[in-house]
């Protein structure tokens, strides 16, 4: 069967999926990941019916880094029969100022994307490594880069520029926004399931270890909480979110921290982890009776509420709110606390529906429709890959 392989590589995990292609549809056949890289490596995969295909753990030194994880996954994938690989679709976090749509990858493009590593140091190097290896191993298989920044590229200039001399904007220092593949999928899914809500003023909250929100008007992004890098906006697992740039200057000029030390602080030691001193994982914080955990949660909810107000200003109001990603999909208590701060808007939560994680979690009398929609970035990548290669769907 003709198949598309989708790869989503991170610093501690390698996610992959296989979709077969027929004349009318994409069908997910394999879903897997190797996570805990360098710590507690575990390779898991399941078939289309969610039956386990493999569940294998390794010693830390057996899978110490992403290249070794790629080799383990590639070896296992080679043992699968019945698939003829047509193309590989990759999530690439940053497309910079030049790439606003999925693109076939060649050496020149790969070198260009490498120049954006400093804009997304947690993600970009890991996104590009599987592409380089696949080019060496299977040079004849087309590879497609699907950018997290692309969904936001239609923003008006006044929304995407900083109040800096315009020469900096022309050099590419501007607000990009991220999590675009997630927002694109969720907005399409909302249009399929609740079309009346999808055409209005919608805010999608992608809440996970990386967190952001996006304002959409008739399904198109008009504003995002993230900007030049994925450090901006909401507090995250290990990233602080919105931060006065004067703090960075103070750390360098007054406390004598190097740029590398500040980068480590902002990308790895801040956010929920830094604020609580306990964990970057919201599940751990929700399950803790430590007051520091409660404080970190309070901060997260407060900043979410502030950013909803900001995005409403860009939209001129709000008709619907959608929760997605790890926290957004799986933490009803967090959803409740955020919606409680939206009571002044007339938002009313259906407690039973919220606990169940239903697609619609607002009451019939709520002035704001409230939704939970699981995201599916891998399916979005597969769709883009098909469209770009002009393969019948």
């Amino acid at each position: 069967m003709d198949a598309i392989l989708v790869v989503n590589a991170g610093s501690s995990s390698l996610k992959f999926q296989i979709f077969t292609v027929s004349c009318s549809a994409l069908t997910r056949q394999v879903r897997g990941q190797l996570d805990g890289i360098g710590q507690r490596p575990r390779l898991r995969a399941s078939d289309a019916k969610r039956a386990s295909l493999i569940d294998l753990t390794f010693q830390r030194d057996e899978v110490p880094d992403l290249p070794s994880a790629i080799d383990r996954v590639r070896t296992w994938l080679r043992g699968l029969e019945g698939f003829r690989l047509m193309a590989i679709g990759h999530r690439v976090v940053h497309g910079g100022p030049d790439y606003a749509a999925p693109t076939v990858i060649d050496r020149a493009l790969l070198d260009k994307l490498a120049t954006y590593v400093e804009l997304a140091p947690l993600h970009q190097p890991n996104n590009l490594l599987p592409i380089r290896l696949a080019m060496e191993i299977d040079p004849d298989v087309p590879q497609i880069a699907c950018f997290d920044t692309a969904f936001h590229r239609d923003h008006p200039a006044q929304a995407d520029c900083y109040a800096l001399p315009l020469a900096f904007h022309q050099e590419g220092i501007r607000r990009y926004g991220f999590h675009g593949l997630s927002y694109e999928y969720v907005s399409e899914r909302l249009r399929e399931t609740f079309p009346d809500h999808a055409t209005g003023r919608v805010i999608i909250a992608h809440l996970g270890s990386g967190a952001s929100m996006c304002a959409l008007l008739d399904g198109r992004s008009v504003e995002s909480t993230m900007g030049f890098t994925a450090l901006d906006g909401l507090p995250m697992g290990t990233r602080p979110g919105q931060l006065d740039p004067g703090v960075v200057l103070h750390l360098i000029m007054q406390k004598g921290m190097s740029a590398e030390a500040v980068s480590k602080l902002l990308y790895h030691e801040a956010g929920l982890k830094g604020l609580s001193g306990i964990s970057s994982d919201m599940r751990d914080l929700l399950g803790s009776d430590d007051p520091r955990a409660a404080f970190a949660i309070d901060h997260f909810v407060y900043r979410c509420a502030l950013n909803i107000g900001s995005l409403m200003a860009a939209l001129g109001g709000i008709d619907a709110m959608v929760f997605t990603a790890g926290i957004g999909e799986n933490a009803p208590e967090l959803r409740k606390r955020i919606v409680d701060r939206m009571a002044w808007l007339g938002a009313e939560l259906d407690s039973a529906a919220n606990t169940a994680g239903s697609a619609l979690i607002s009451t019939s009398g709520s002035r704001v429709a409230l939704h939970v929609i699981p995201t599916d970035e891998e399916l979005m990548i597969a769709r883009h890959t098909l469209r770009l290669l002009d393969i019948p769907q």
Side-chain angles (χ1 to χ4, degrees):
M1 292 181 287
D2 290 338
I4 298 291
L5 172 65
V6 172
V7 176
N8 186 345
S11 58
S12 62
S13 67
L14 176 64
K15 299 177 183 178
F16 57 92
Q17 296 193 23
I18 296 175
F19 296 83
T20 52
V21 182
S22 70
C23 60
S24 60
L26 283 162
T27 302
R28 196 188 325 261
Q29 300 290 352
V30 176
R31 180 200 307 258
Q33 65 180 30
L34 199 166
D35 55 19
I37 297 171
Q39 297 296 325
R40 290 174 291 181
R42 182 183 181 188
L43 172 60
R44 290 170 288 169
S46 57
D47 64 16
K49 297 181 180 180
R50 298 297 183 108
S52 178
L53 296 173
I54 186 173
D55 190 340
L56 185 63
T57 58
F58 302 92
Q59 296 299 315
R60 178 184 299 185
D61 59 359
E62 290 182 294
V63 190
D65 50 25
L66 183 59
S68 61
I70 294 171
D71 185 61
R72 293 282 183 177
V73 170
R74 185 170 67 87
T75 299
W76 182 76
L77 288 173
R78 278 183 168 177
L80 296 178
E81 297 181 353
F83 300 118
R84 183 170 59 256
L85 191 60
M86 303 172 68
I88 306 174
H90 298 266
R91 178 193 178 208
V92 178
V93 165
H94 216 303
D98 298 314
Y99 302 103
T103 306
V104 177
I105 302 168
D106 58 19
R107 292 288 179 182
L109 173 61
L110 195 56
D111 291 343
K112 183 67 175 179
L113 296 178
T115 66
Y116 305 142
V117 164
E118 64 183 26
L119 305 185
L122 283 184
H123 303 92
Q124 196 84 348
N126 301 312
N127 297 158
L128 301 184
L129 180 58
I131 300 174
R132 293 189 186 279
L133 293 177
M135 278 186 165
E136 295 173 3
I137 297 166
D138 297 304
D140 296 328
V141 176
Q143 298 193 74
I144 311 300
C146 299
F147 304 105
D148 254 345
T149 50
F151 187 65
H152 308 290
R153 289 300 305 277
D154 290 335
H155 290 181
Q158 67 266 24
D160 280 355
C161 74
Y162 291 104
L164 296 169
L166 284 177
F168 289 100
H169 183 270
Q170 293 163 357
E171 292 172 6
I173 299 177
R174 61 187 71 174
R175 294 177 54 82
Y176 289 101
F178 297 89
H179 293 137
L181 292 164
S182 175
Y183 291 130
E184 186 176 9
Y185 174 81
V186 171
S187 65
E188 289 187 4
R189 186 64 182 150
L190 183 65
R191 191 177 295 273
E192 294 170 359
T193 54
F194 296 92
D196 292 343
H197 298 168
T199 57
R201 301 164 297 183
V202 178
I203 294 175
I204 302 177
H206 178 107
L207 306 180
S209 59
S212 69
M213 291 182 180
C214 179
L216 296 92
L217 189 61
D218 194 20
R220 299 177 68 86
S221 172
V222 298
E223 184 57 89
S224 171
T225 57
M226 281 184 169
F228 181 58
T229 71
L231 283 172
D232 200 8
L234 304 177
M236 296 166 249
T238 62
R239 288 168 273 171
Q242 184 180 10
L243 186 72
D244 183 339
V247 172
V248 176
L249 295 177
H250 176 80
L251 295 175
I252 294 173
M253 300 175 69
Q254 304 301 321
K255 295 188 69 68
M257 294 179 67
S258 66
E260 292 76 12
V262 172
S263 178
K264 181 181 178 182
L265 169 67
L266 298 184
Y267 278 103
H268 299 283
E269 299 172 358
L272 297 175
K273 177 183 177 182
L275 201 57
S276 70
I278 297 172
S279 174
S280 63
D281 193 318
M282 183 62 76
R283 293 169 295 187
D284 294 338
L285 301 182
L286 287 169
S288 174
D289 57 5
D290 192 309
R292 296 176 300 168
F295 181 74
I297 295 170
D298 287 344
H299 176 77
F300 181 82
V301 171
Y302 176 70
R303 299 305 301 186
C304 284
L306 283 183
N307 279 271
I308 289 170
S310 175
L311 295 177
M312 283 177 57
L315 289 170
I318 182 173
D319 299 308
M321 176 91 180
V322 183
F323 295 92
T324 193
I327 297 171
E329 296 169 24
N330 300 301
E333 174 62 23
L334 257 294
R335 293 195 297 262
K336 179 184 182 302
R337 293 183 61 173
I338 292 170
V339 174
D340 283 348
R341 285 188 168 270
M342 299 172 63
W344 64 280
L345 298 168
E348 295 180 357
L349 192 69
D350 181 321
S351 296
N354 181 49
T355 300
S358 301
L360 180 66
I361 59 172
S362 51
T363 65
S364 59
S366 179
R367 292 171 56 190
V368 180
L370 305 168
H371 297 279
V372 178
I373 298 179
T375 192
D376 197 335
E377 294 167 318
E378 286 77 18
L379 178 56
M380 202 70 245
I381 293 169
R383 288 175 177 173
H384 281 309
T385 300
L386 285 175
R387 292 167 186 160
L388 189 62
L389 297 179
D390 196 26
I391 300 170
Q393 298 185 50

